[in-house]
Amino acid sequence: SPVDELQLYKAAAEVLAQLRTLPVSSIALPAYDDSPLFAELALFCDWFLPQAVGATKAATLKPEFMNIWRDVLNDAELQHNVAVLRDYHADNLLWLPQREGAARVGLLDYQDALLGDGAYDMVSYLEDARRDVAPATVAKVLRHYLNLSGETEDSFMRRYAVLGAQRNCKIIGIFVRLCVRDGKPHYLDYLPRVWRLLEQELKHPVLAPVRTWMDKYVSSQFRGSFTPDSTIGALS
């Protein structure tokens, strides 16, 4: 029900703001640091890039892509002080209006949680690969979260853009893998939305090196809906 969108998304932001109040010493989770972040980025190179440029060229471009991202992630100044649920989106949230406060939002699918940057879960549900969220809702929910969390807007929005772009690169790789390896082509239907979100994030100045790389190597025919060649597998 679109009329409920803002209320529901604000409530989900309140959950994430509350997670920020947990002391790090009480969160027994592995770190969401370079190791998982780069493993996720590798999915873009291993599964999507061979489709766009061929396997041989993809293998030569992968180190360059990773090095660019290493600099971008360093410049983003990511935090590692919040329980990041990692699959925080509408399909994994339950509305429980009989409860009060953040408890009105029930949580599913958080078994892969890590200790990382709170901006990740915000971008995960506001830039949903499966559904459009009204731009006005996104703006109001971000402002609501910033007010609740006390985050500095410039710092938060830089990390939000970087983690959103990292996440969408990962998703593109996963959706191509689901089609080519697992025989689930319906995930390709989401690619135009994911690419649109990624293009939006790449406008942030901190992501200029990634945008330049994309413009150089990934043609427009692959930035959206396309049919992968099932004979092209992943980079070994």
Side-chain angles (χ1 to χ4, degrees), residues 9-10 12-13 16 88-90 119-129 131-135 137-143 145 156 160 167 197 200-201:
Y9 277 77
K10 275 189 170 182
L16 300 183
Y88 196 76
H89 60 90
Y120 187 94
D121 280 343
M122 282 292 291
V123 78
S124 178
Y125 89 103
L126 290 176
E127 297 192 358
D128 196 325
R131 70 176 67 210
D132 293 322
V133 183
T137 296
V138 173
K140 290 175 181 178
V141 171
L142 283 171
R143 176 52 52 194
Y145 176 81
F156 179 81
Y160 180 92
R167 179 175 179 273
L197 293 168
Q200 177 179 305
E201 288 148 356

PDB file of all heavy atoms in Angstrom, residues 9-10 12-13 16 88-90 119-129 131-135 137-143 145 156 160 167 197 200-201:
ATOM      1  N   TYR A   9       8.958   2.666   6.116  1.00  0.00           N
ATOM      2  CA  TYR A   9      10.388   2.853   5.893  1.00  0.00           C
ATOM      3  C   TYR A   9      11.035   3.678   7.002  1.00  0.00           C
ATOM      4  O   TYR A   9      12.208   3.457   7.341  1.00  0.00           O
ATOM      5  CB  TYR A   9      10.634   3.455   4.505  1.00  0.00           C
ATOM      6  CG  TYR A   9      10.633   2.399   3.423  1.00  0.00           C
ATOM      7  CD1 TYR A   9       9.446   1.847   2.954  1.00  0.00           C
ATOM      8  CD2 TYR A   9      11.823   1.918   2.890  1.00  0.00           C
ATOM      9  CE1 TYR A   9       9.437   0.869   1.985  1.00  0.00           C
ATOM     10  CE2 TYR A   9      11.839   0.931   1.916  1.00  0.00           C
ATOM     11  CZ  TYR A   9      10.637   0.405   1.461  1.00  0.00           C
ATOM     12  OH  TYR A   9      10.636  -0.577   0.518  1.00  0.00           O
ATOM     13  N   LYS A  10      10.290   4.624   7.578  1.00  0.00           N
ATOM     14  CA  LYS A  10      10.814   5.349   8.731  1.00  0.00           C
ATOM     15  C   LYS A  10      11.016   4.398   9.918  1.00  0.00           C
ATOM     16  O   LYS A  10      12.018   4.483  10.642  1.00  0.00           O
ATOM     17  CB  LYS A  10       9.860   6.476   9.128  1.00  0.00           C
ATOM     18  CG  LYS A  10      10.058   7.769   8.368  1.00  0.00           C
ATOM     19  CD  LYS A  10       9.211   8.887   8.980  1.00  0.00           C
ATOM     20  CE  LYS A  10       9.553  10.238   8.410  1.00  0.00           C
ATOM     21  NZ  LYS A  10       8.755  11.331   9.031  1.00  0.00           N
ATOM     22  N   ALA A  12      11.668   1.249   9.792  1.00  0.00           N
ATOM     23  CA  ALA A  12      12.845   0.417   9.520  1.00  0.00           C
ATOM     24  C   ALA A  12      14.128   1.190   9.794  1.00  0.00           C
ATOM     25  O   ALA A  12      15.126   0.617  10.252  1.00  0.00           O
ATOM     26  CB  ALA A  12      12.811  -0.073   8.077  1.00  0.00           C
ATOM     27  N   ALA A  13      14.129   2.497   9.523  1.00  0.00           N
ATOM     28  CA  ALA A  13      15.294   3.326   9.830  1.00  0.00           C
ATOM     29  C   ALA A  13      15.515   3.416  11.338  1.00  0.00           C
ATOM     30  O   ALA A  13      16.660   3.481  11.811  1.00  0.00           O
ATOM     31  CB  ALA A  13      15.123   4.718   9.235  1.00  0.00           C
ATOM     32  N   LEU A  16      17.589   0.569  12.580  1.00  0.00           N
ATOM     33  CA  LEU A  16      19.017   0.718  12.312  1.00  0.00           C
ATOM     34  C   LEU A  16      19.650   1.765  13.217  1.00  0.00           C
ATOM     35  O   LEU A  16      20.804   1.614  13.639  1.00  0.00           O
ATOM     36  CB  LEU A  16      19.226   1.078  10.844  1.00  0.00           C
ATOM     37  CG  LEU A  16      18.696   0.038   9.844  1.00  0.00           C
ATOM     38  CD1 LEU A  16      19.025   0.456   8.413  1.00  0.00           C
ATOM     39  CD2 LEU A  16      19.251  -1.347  10.139  1.00  0.00           C
ATOM     40  N   TYR A  88      18.933  -6.563   4.503  1.00  0.00           N
ATOM     41  CA  TYR A  88      17.893  -5.746   5.109  1.00  0.00           C
ATOM     42  C   TYR A  88      17.083  -5.075   4.006  1.00  0.00           C
ATOM     43  O   TYR A  88      17.486  -4.048   3.447  1.00  0.00           O
ATOM     44  CB  TYR A  88      18.557  -4.690   6.007  1.00  0.00           C
ATOM     45  CG  TYR A  88      17.634  -4.007   6.996  1.00  0.00           C
ATOM     46  CD1 TYR A  88      17.216  -4.661   8.137  1.00  0.00           C
ATOM     47  CD2 TYR A  88      17.225  -2.695   6.796  1.00  0.00           C
ATOM     48  CE1 TYR A  88      16.403  -4.030   9.068  1.00  0.00           C
ATOM     49  CE2 TYR A  88      16.407  -2.051   7.725  1.00  0.00           C
ATOM     50  CZ  TYR A  88      15.997  -2.730   8.854  1.00  0.00           C
ATOM     51  OH  TYR A  88      15.193  -2.099   9.770  1.00  0.00           O
ATOM     52  N   HIS A  89      15.960  -5.695   3.662  1.00  0.00           N
ATOM     53  CA  HIS A  89      15.077  -5.113   2.646  1.00  0.00           C
ATOM     54  C   HIS A  89      13.637  -5.519   2.953  1.00  0.00           C
ATOM     55  O   HIS A  89      13.381  -6.338   3.835  1.00  0.00           O
ATOM     56  CB  HIS A  89      15.498  -5.518   1.232  1.00  0.00           C
ATOM     57  CG  HIS A  89      15.475  -6.999   0.990  1.00  0.00           C
ATOM     58  ND1 HIS A  89      14.370  -7.660   0.518  1.00  0.00           N
ATOM     59  CD2 HIS A  89      16.444  -7.943   1.132  1.00  0.00           C
ATOM     60  CE1 HIS A  89      14.645  -8.945   0.382  1.00  0.00           C
ATOM     61  NE2 HIS A  89      15.885  -9.148   0.754  1.00  0.00           N
ATOM     62  N   ALA A  90      12.698  -4.935   2.229  1.00  0.00           N
ATOM     63  CA  ALA A  90      11.281  -5.048   2.583  1.00  0.00           C
ATOM     64  C   ALA A  90      10.811  -6.490   2.740  1.00  0.00           C
ATOM     65  O   ALA A  90      10.006  -6.793   3.621  1.00  0.00           O
ATOM     66  CB  ALA A  90      10.427  -4.326   1.532  1.00  0.00           C
ATOM     67  N   ALA A 119      25.714   2.414   7.273  1.00  0.00           N
ATOM     68  CA  ALA A 119      25.184   2.891   5.995  1.00  0.00           C
ATOM     69  C   ALA A 119      24.807   1.737   5.078  1.00  0.00           C
ATOM     70  O   ALA A 119      23.960   1.896   4.193  1.00  0.00           O
ATOM     71  CB  ALA A 119      26.202   3.795   5.306  1.00  0.00           C
ATOM     72  N   TYR A 120      25.414   0.566   5.280  1.00  0.00           N
ATOM     73  CA  TYR A 120      25.150  -0.554   4.372  1.00  0.00           C
ATOM     74  C   TYR A 120      23.683  -0.973   4.411  1.00  0.00           C
ATOM     75  O   TYR A 120      23.046  -1.141   3.367  1.00  0.00           O
ATOM     76  CB  TYR A 120      26.048  -1.747   4.701  1.00  0.00           C
ATOM     77  CG  TYR A 120      25.919  -2.872   3.684  1.00  0.00           C
ATOM     78  CD1 TYR A 120      26.794  -2.941   2.610  1.00  0.00           C
ATOM     79  CD2 TYR A 120      24.924  -3.837   3.794  1.00  0.00           C
ATOM     80  CE1 TYR A 120      26.671  -3.953   1.662  1.00  0.00           C
ATOM     81  CE2 TYR A 120      24.796  -4.840   2.849  1.00  0.00           C
ATOM     82  CZ  TYR A 120      25.667  -4.890   1.797  1.00  0.00           C
ATOM     83  OH  TYR A 120      25.533  -5.890   0.851  1.00  0.00           O
ATOM     84  N   ASP A 121      23.131  -1.179   5.598  1.00  0.00           N
ATOM     85  CA  ASP A 121      21.736  -1.625   5.680  1.00  0.00           C
ATOM     86  C   ASP A 121      20.771  -0.534   5.226  1.00  0.00           C
ATOM     87  O   ASP A 121      19.702  -0.836   4.674  1.00  0.00           O
ATOM     88  CB  ASP A 121      21.401  -2.057   7.115  1.00  0.00           C
ATOM     89  CG  ASP A 121      21.907  -3.457   7.431  1.00  0.00           C
ATOM     90  OD1 ASP A 121      22.220  -4.211   6.488  1.00  0.00           O
ATOM     91  OD2 ASP A 121      21.996  -3.797   8.627  1.00  0.00           O
ATOM     92  N   MET A 122      21.129   0.715   5.423  1.00  0.00           N
ATOM     93  CA  MET A 122      20.272   1.798   4.932  1.00  0.00           C
ATOM     94  C   MET A 122      20.160   1.746   3.415  1.00  0.00           C
ATOM     95  O   MET A 122      19.056   1.817   2.852  1.00  0.00           O
ATOM     96  CB  MET A 122      20.826   3.153   5.379  1.00  0.00           C
ATOM     97  CG  MET A 122      20.537   3.508   6.818  1.00  0.00           C
ATOM     98  SD  MET A 122      18.776   3.811   7.150  1.00  0.00           S
ATOM     99  CE  MET A 122      18.509   5.337   6.245  1.00  0.00           C
ATOM    100  N   VAL A 123      21.285   1.612   2.747  1.00  0.00           N
ATOM    101  CA  VAL A 123      21.249   1.564   1.285  1.00  0.00           C
ATOM    102  C   VAL A 123      20.621   0.263   0.803  1.00  0.00           C
ATOM    103  O   VAL A 123      19.982   0.216  -0.249  1.00  0.00           O
ATOM    104  CB  VAL A 123      22.666   1.771   0.691  1.00  0.00           C
ATOM    105  CG1 VAL A 123      23.517   0.519   0.765  1.00  0.00           C
ATOM    106  CG2 VAL A 123      22.593   2.268  -0.746  1.00  0.00           C
ATOM    107  N   SER A 124      20.743  -0.790   1.596  1.00  0.00           N
ATOM    108  CA  SER A 124      20.185  -2.087   1.218  1.00  0.00           C
ATOM    109  C   SER A 124      18.671  -2.029   1.065  1.00  0.00           C
ATOM    110  O   SER A 124      18.105  -2.630   0.144  1.00  0.00           O
ATOM    111  CB  SER A 124      20.567  -3.138   2.272  1.00  0.00           C
ATOM    112  OG  SER A 124      20.010  -4.398   1.973  1.00  0.00           O
ATOM    113  N   TYR A 125      17.993  -1.305   1.966  1.00  0.00           N
ATOM    114  CA  TYR A 125      16.532  -1.305   1.861  1.00  0.00           C
ATOM    115  C   TYR A 125      15.971  -0.086   1.151  1.00  0.00           C
ATOM    116  O   TYR A 125      14.866  -0.141   0.599  1.00  0.00           O
ATOM    117  CB  TYR A 125      15.890  -1.520   3.234  1.00  0.00           C
ATOM    118  CG  TYR A 125      15.609  -0.312   4.079  1.00  0.00           C
ATOM    119  CD1 TYR A 125      14.322   0.193   4.188  1.00  0.00           C
ATOM    120  CD2 TYR A 125      16.615   0.295   4.810  1.00  0.00           C
ATOM    121  CE1 TYR A 125      14.056   1.285   5.000  1.00  0.00           C
ATOM    122  CE2 TYR A 125      16.359   1.379   5.628  1.00  0.00           C
ATOM    123  CZ  TYR A 125      15.078   1.872   5.715  1.00  0.00           C
ATOM    124  OH  TYR A 125      14.820   2.953   6.515  1.00  0.00           O
ATOM    125  N   LEU A 126      16.731   1.008   1.104  1.00  0.00           N
ATOM    126  CA  LEU A 126      16.249   2.161   0.347  1.00  0.00           C
ATOM    127  C   LEU A 126      16.534   2.025  -1.144  1.00  0.00           C
ATOM    128  O   LEU A 126      15.845   2.624  -1.969  1.00  0.00           O
ATOM    129  CB  LEU A 126      16.881   3.447   0.884  1.00  0.00           C
ATOM    130  CG  LEU A 126      16.397   3.888   2.272  1.00  0.00           C
ATOM    131  CD1 LEU A 126      17.160   5.120   2.730  1.00  0.00           C
ATOM    132  CD2 LEU A 126      14.886   4.160   2.271  1.00  0.00           C
ATOM    133  N   GLU A 127      17.554   1.244  -1.499  1.00  0.00           N
ATOM    134  CA  GLU A 127      17.862   0.974  -2.904  1.00  0.00           C
ATOM    135  C   GLU A 127      17.642  -0.516  -3.160  1.00  0.00           C
ATOM    136  O   GLU A 127      18.560  -1.260  -3.481  1.00  0.00           O
ATOM    137  CB  GLU A 127      19.289   1.404  -3.228  1.00  0.00           C
ATOM    138  CG  GLU A 127      19.493   2.900  -3.048  1.00  0.00           C
ATOM    139  CD  GLU A 127      20.799   3.403  -3.625  1.00  0.00           C
ATOM    140  OE1 GLU A 127      21.583   2.573  -4.139  1.00  0.00           O
ATOM    141  OE2 GLU A 127      21.031   4.615  -3.581  1.00  0.00           O
ATOM    142  N   ASP A 128      16.407  -0.904  -3.055  1.00  0.00           N
ATOM    143  CA  ASP A 128      15.999  -2.307  -3.141  1.00  0.00           C
ATOM    144  C   ASP A 128      16.088  -2.783  -4.585  1.00  0.00           C
ATOM    145  O   ASP A 128      15.538  -2.162  -5.495  1.00  0.00           O
ATOM    146  CB  ASP A 128      14.566  -2.442  -2.619  1.00  0.00           C
ATOM    147  CG  ASP A 128      14.177  -3.870  -2.305  1.00  0.00           C
ATOM    148  OD1 ASP A 128      14.626  -4.787  -3.019  1.00  0.00           O
ATOM    149  OD2 ASP A 128      13.412  -4.067  -1.346  1.00  0.00           O
ATOM    150  N   ALA A 129      16.763  -3.904  -4.797  1.00  0.00           N
ATOM    151  CA  ALA A 129      16.886  -4.451  -6.151  1.00  0.00           C
ATOM    152  C   ALA A 129      15.558  -4.940  -6.700  1.00  0.00           C
ATOM    153  O   ALA A 129      15.385  -5.021  -7.915  1.00  0.00           O
ATOM    154  CB  ALA A 129      17.891  -5.610  -6.147  1.00  0.00           C
ATOM    155  N   ARG A 131      12.308  -3.702  -5.800  1.00  0.00           N
ATOM    156  CA  ARG A 131      11.168  -2.779  -5.836  1.00  0.00           C
ATOM    157  C   ARG A 131      11.663  -1.342  -5.845  1.00  0.00           C
ATOM    158  O   ARG A 131      12.720  -1.024  -5.315  1.00  0.00           O
ATOM    159  CB  ARG A 131      10.242  -3.009  -4.643  1.00  0.00           C
ATOM    160  CG  ARG A 131      10.829  -2.585  -3.309  1.00  0.00           C
ATOM    161  CD  ARG A 131       9.818  -2.754  -2.179  1.00  0.00           C
ATOM    162  NE  ARG A 131       9.531  -4.161  -1.946  1.00  0.00           N
ATOM    163  CZ  ARG A 131       8.362  -4.611  -1.491  1.00  0.00           C
ATOM    164  NH1 ARG A 131       7.382  -3.760  -1.239  1.00  0.00           N
ATOM    165  NH2 ARG A 131       8.170  -5.891  -1.277  1.00  0.00           N
ATOM    166  N   ASP A 132      10.870  -0.482  -6.466  1.00  0.00           N
ATOM    167  CA  ASP A 132      11.181   0.950  -6.467  1.00  0.00           C
ATOM    168  C   ASP A 132      10.683   1.581  -5.176  1.00  0.00           C
ATOM    169  O   ASP A 132       9.578   1.291  -4.721  1.00  0.00           O
ATOM    170  CB  ASP A 132      10.520   1.641  -7.658  1.00  0.00           C
ATOM    171  CG  ASP A 132      11.111   1.205  -8.992  1.00  0.00           C
ATOM    172  OD1 ASP A 132      12.343   1.016  -9.044  1.00  0.00           O
ATOM    173  OD2 ASP A 132      10.354   1.061  -9.966  1.00  0.00           O
ATOM    174  N   VAL A 133      11.502   2.436  -4.603  1.00  0.00           N
ATOM    175  CA  VAL A 133      11.107   3.233  -3.440  1.00  0.00           C
ATOM    176  C   VAL A 133      11.023   4.682  -3.910  1.00  0.00           C
ATOM    177  O   VAL A 133      11.934   5.185  -4.566  1.00  0.00           O
ATOM    178  CB  VAL A 133      12.120   3.087  -2.293  1.00  0.00           C
ATOM    179  CG1 VAL A 133      11.649   3.871  -1.067  1.00  0.00           C
ATOM    180  CG2 VAL A 133      12.326   1.616  -1.943  1.00  0.00           C
ATOM    181  N   ALA A 134       9.922   5.352  -3.588  1.00  0.00           N
ATOM    182  CA  ALA A 134       9.711   6.714  -4.057  1.00  0.00           C
ATOM    183  C   ALA A 134      10.874   7.615  -3.623  1.00  0.00           C
ATOM    184  O   ALA A 134      11.285   7.570  -2.460  1.00  0.00           O
ATOM    185  CB  ALA A 134       8.400   7.264  -3.505  1.00  0.00           C
ATOM    186  N   PRO A 135      11.417   8.432  -4.538  1.00  0.00           N
ATOM    187  CA  PRO A 135      12.521   9.330  -4.178  1.00  0.00           C
ATOM    188  C   PRO A 135      12.202  10.213  -2.977  1.00  0.00           C
ATOM    189  O   PRO A 135      13.083  10.474  -2.144  1.00  0.00           O
ATOM    190  CB  PRO A 135      12.732  10.154  -5.449  1.00  0.00           C
ATOM    191  CG  PRO A 135      12.257   9.264  -6.561  1.00  0.00           C
ATOM    192  CD  PRO A 135      11.097   8.497  -5.980  1.00  0.00           C
ATOM    193  N   THR A 137      10.325   9.434  -0.469  1.00  0.00           N
ATOM    194  CA  THR A 137      10.446   8.581   0.712  1.00  0.00           C
ATOM    195  C   THR A 137      11.905   8.409   1.085  1.00  0.00           C
ATOM    196  O   THR A 137      12.281   8.513   2.265  1.00  0.00           O
ATOM    197  CB  THR A 137       9.794   7.213   0.452  1.00  0.00           C
ATOM    198  OG1 THR A 137       8.392   7.388   0.246  1.00  0.00           O
ATOM    199  CG2 THR A 137      10.014   6.269   1.621  1.00  0.00           C
ATOM    200  N   VAL A 138      12.756   8.153   0.098  1.00  0.00           N
ATOM    201  CA  VAL A 138      14.190   7.978   0.361  1.00  0.00           C
ATOM    202  C   VAL A 138      14.752   9.218   1.055  1.00  0.00           C
ATOM    203  O   VAL A 138      15.449   9.116   2.074  1.00  0.00           O
ATOM    204  CB  VAL A 138      14.951   7.691  -0.949  1.00  0.00           C
ATOM    205  CG1 VAL A 138      16.460   7.684  -0.696  1.00  0.00           C
ATOM    206  CG2 VAL A 138      14.512   6.357  -1.542  1.00  0.00           C
ATOM    207  N   ALA A 139      14.449  10.386   0.524  1.00  0.00           N
ATOM    208  CA  ALA A 139      14.980  11.635   1.095  1.00  0.00           C
ATOM    209  C   ALA A 139      14.511  11.840   2.529  1.00  0.00           C
ATOM    210  O   ALA A 139      15.300  12.205   3.414  1.00  0.00           O
ATOM    211  CB  ALA A 139      14.567  12.815   0.216  1.00  0.00           C
ATOM    212  N   LYS A 140      13.226  11.597   2.787  1.00  0.00           N
ATOM    213  CA  LYS A 140      12.678  11.809   4.129  1.00  0.00           C
ATOM    214  C   LYS A 140      13.212  10.780   5.127  1.00  0.00           C
ATOM    215  O   LYS A 140      13.471  11.109   6.296  1.00  0.00           O
ATOM    216  CB  LYS A 140      11.153  11.766   4.079  1.00  0.00           C
ATOM    217  CG  LYS A 140      10.544  12.969   3.367  1.00  0.00           C
ATOM    218  CD  LYS A 140       9.035  12.835   3.241  1.00  0.00           C
ATOM    219  CE  LYS A 140       8.437  14.027   2.498  1.00  0.00           C
ATOM    220  NZ  LYS A 140       6.969  13.892   2.315  1.00  0.00           N
ATOM    221  N   VAL A 141      13.384   9.538   4.679  1.00  0.00           N
ATOM    222  CA  VAL A 141      13.885   8.497   5.577  1.00  0.00           C
ATOM    223  C   VAL A 141      15.360   8.738   5.906  1.00  0.00           C
ATOM    224  O   VAL A 141      15.789   8.551   7.049  1.00  0.00           O
ATOM    225  CB  VAL A 141      13.667   7.100   4.959  1.00  0.00           C
ATOM    226  CG1 VAL A 141      14.378   6.025   5.771  1.00  0.00           C
ATOM    227  CG2 VAL A 141      12.176   6.793   4.885  1.00  0.00           C
ATOM    228  N   LEU A 142      16.131   9.165   4.927  1.00  0.00           N
ATOM    229  CA  LEU A 142      17.528   9.492   5.195  1.00  0.00           C
ATOM    230  C   LEU A 142      17.628  10.620   6.213  1.00  0.00           C
ATOM    231  O   LEU A 142      18.443  10.565   7.146  1.00  0.00           O
ATOM    232  CB  LEU A 142      18.235   9.878   3.894  1.00  0.00           C
ATOM    233  CG  LEU A 142      18.607   8.719   2.966  1.00  0.00           C
ATOM    234  CD1 LEU A 142      19.091   9.252   1.621  1.00  0.00           C
ATOM    235  CD2 LEU A 142      19.691   7.846   3.610  1.00  0.00           C
ATOM    236  N   ARG A 143      16.811  11.657   6.055  1.00  0.00           N
ATOM    237  CA  ARG A 143      16.825  12.759   7.007  1.00  0.00           C
ATOM    238  C   ARG A 143      16.404  12.275   8.394  1.00  0.00           C
ATOM    239  O   ARG A 143      16.999  12.675   9.405  1.00  0.00           O
ATOM    240  CB  ARG A 143      15.877  13.864   6.506  1.00  0.00           C
ATOM    241  CG  ARG A 143      15.704  15.047   7.448  1.00  0.00           C
ATOM    242  CD  ARG A 143      17.028  15.639   7.897  1.00  0.00           C
ATOM    243  NE  ARG A 143      17.886  15.953   6.757  1.00  0.00           N
ATOM    244  CZ  ARG A 143      19.175  16.229   6.870  1.00  0.00           C
ATOM    245  NH1 ARG A 143      19.760  16.183   8.058  1.00  0.00           N
ATOM    246  NH2 ARG A 143      19.907  16.507   5.791  1.00  0.00           N
ATOM    247  N   TYR A 145      16.782   9.259   9.642  1.00  0.00           N
ATOM    248  CA  TYR A 145      17.879   8.470  10.205  1.00  0.00           C
ATOM    249  C   TYR A 145      19.009   9.373  10.689  1.00  0.00           C
ATOM    250  O   TYR A 145      19.564   9.158  11.779  1.00  0.00           O
ATOM    251  CB  TYR A 145      18.402   7.486   9.165  1.00  0.00           C
ATOM    252  CG  TYR A 145      19.599   6.699   9.637  1.00  0.00           C
ATOM    253  CD1 TYR A 145      19.453   5.577  10.446  1.00  0.00           C
ATOM    254  CD2 TYR A 145      20.899   7.098   9.303  1.00  0.00           C
ATOM    255  CE1 TYR A 145      20.555   4.868  10.895  1.00  0.00           C
ATOM    256  CE2 TYR A 145      21.999   6.400   9.743  1.00  0.00           C
ATOM    257  CZ  TYR A 145      21.826   5.280  10.533  1.00  0.00           C
ATOM    258  OH  TYR A 145      22.923   4.583  10.991  1.00  0.00           O
ATOM    259  N   PHE A 156      28.234  10.465   6.110  1.00  0.00           N
ATOM    260  CA  PHE A 156      27.302   9.356   5.927  1.00  0.00           C
ATOM    261  C   PHE A 156      26.962   9.153   4.461  1.00  0.00           C
ATOM    262  O   PHE A 156      26.959   8.022   3.961  1.00  0.00           O
ATOM    263  CB  PHE A 156      26.015   9.591   6.724  1.00  0.00           C
ATOM    264  CG  PHE A 156      25.008   8.488   6.550  1.00  0.00           C
ATOM    265  CD1 PHE A 156      25.129   7.317   7.270  1.00  0.00           C
ATOM    266  CD2 PHE A 156      23.961   8.618   5.646  1.00  0.00           C
ATOM    267  CE1 PHE A 156      24.214   6.273   7.097  1.00  0.00           C
ATOM    268  CE2 PHE A 156      23.040   7.594   5.466  1.00  0.00           C
ATOM    269  CZ  PHE A 156      23.174   6.416   6.191  1.00  0.00           C
ATOM    270  N   TYR A 160      27.407   5.925   2.226  1.00  0.00           N
ATOM    271  CA  TYR A 160      26.171   5.389   1.645  1.00  0.00           C
ATOM    272  C   TYR A 160      26.358   5.146   0.148  1.00  0.00           C
ATOM    273  O   TYR A 160      25.990   4.092  -0.382  1.00  0.00           O
ATOM    274  CB  TYR A 160      25.054   6.395   1.909  1.00  0.00           C
ATOM    275  CG  TYR A 160      23.673   6.045   1.395  1.00  0.00           C
ATOM    276  CD1 TYR A 160      22.765   5.374   2.213  1.00  0.00           C
ATOM    277  CD2 TYR A 160      23.259   6.426   0.122  1.00  0.00           C
ATOM    278  CE1 TYR A 160      21.482   5.085   1.766  1.00  0.00           C
ATOM    279  CE2 TYR A 160      21.981   6.142  -0.332  1.00  0.00           C
ATOM    280  CZ  TYR A 160      21.094   5.473   0.488  1.00  0.00           C
ATOM    281  OH  TYR A 160      19.822   5.191   0.036  1.00  0.00           O
ATOM    282  N   ARG A 167      27.660  -2.725  -3.258  1.00  0.00           N
ATOM    283  CA  ARG A 167      26.592  -3.718  -3.142  1.00  0.00           C
ATOM    284  C   ARG A 167      25.962  -4.012  -4.501  1.00  0.00           C
ATOM    285  O   ARG A 167      25.699  -5.167  -4.836  1.00  0.00           O
ATOM    286  CB  ARG A 167      25.532  -3.213  -2.152  1.00  0.00           C
ATOM    287  CG  ARG A 167      24.365  -4.140  -1.949  1.00  0.00           C
ATOM    288  CD  ARG A 167      23.432  -3.609  -0.864  1.00  0.00           C
ATOM    289  NE  ARG A 167      22.297  -4.493  -0.686  1.00  0.00           N
ATOM    290  CZ  ARG A 167      21.181  -4.429  -1.390  1.00  0.00           C
ATOM    291  NH1 ARG A 167      21.037  -3.488  -2.330  1.00  0.00           N
ATOM    292  NH2 ARG A 167      20.191  -5.269  -1.185  1.00  0.00           N
ATOM    293  N   LEU A 197      20.370   2.266 -10.232  1.00  0.00           N
ATOM    294  CA  LEU A 197      20.832   2.666  -8.909  1.00  0.00           C
ATOM    295  C   LEU A 197      22.350   2.836  -8.891  1.00  0.00           C
ATOM    296  O   LEU A 197      22.878   3.789  -8.297  1.00  0.00           O
ATOM    297  CB  LEU A 197      20.401   1.625  -7.872  1.00  0.00           C
ATOM    298  CG  LEU A 197      18.889   1.515  -7.626  1.00  0.00           C
ATOM    299  CD1 LEU A 197      18.582   0.260  -6.803  1.00  0.00           C
ATOM    300  CD2 LEU A 197      18.361   2.761  -6.923  1.00  0.00           C
ATOM    301  N   GLN A 200      23.421   6.018 -10.546  1.00  0.00           N
ATOM    302  CA  GLN A 200      23.131   7.148  -9.663  1.00  0.00           C
ATOM    303  C   GLN A 200      24.228   7.313  -8.620  1.00  0.00           C
ATOM    304  O   GLN A 200      24.678   8.435  -8.328  1.00  0.00           O
ATOM    305  CB  GLN A 200      21.778   6.917  -8.998  1.00  0.00           C
ATOM    306  CG  GLN A 200      21.356   7.958  -7.984  1.00  0.00           C
ATOM    307  CD  GLN A 200      19.976   7.629  -7.410  1.00  0.00           C
ATOM    308  OE1 GLN A 200      19.003   7.452  -8.130  1.00  0.00           O
ATOM    309  NE2 GLN A 200      19.910   7.515  -6.091  1.00  0.00           N
ATOM    310  N   GLU A 201      24.665   6.207  -8.030  1.00  0.00           N
ATOM    311  CA  GLU A 201      25.698   6.261  -7.004  1.00  0.00           C
ATOM    312  C   GLU A 201      27.037   6.708  -7.575  1.00  0.00           C
ATOM    313  O   GLU A 201      27.803   7.418  -6.904  1.00  0.00           O
ATOM    314  CB  GLU A 201      25.833   4.883  -6.356  1.00  0.00           C
ATOM    315  CG  GLU A 201      24.663   4.526  -5.472  1.00  0.00           C
ATOM    316  CD  GLU A 201      24.358   3.037  -5.444  1.00  0.00           C
ATOM    317  OE1 GLU A 201      25.017   2.269  -6.176  1.00  0.00           O
ATOM    318  OE2 GLU A 201      23.440   2.655  -4.697  1.00  0.00           O
TER     319      GLU A 201
END
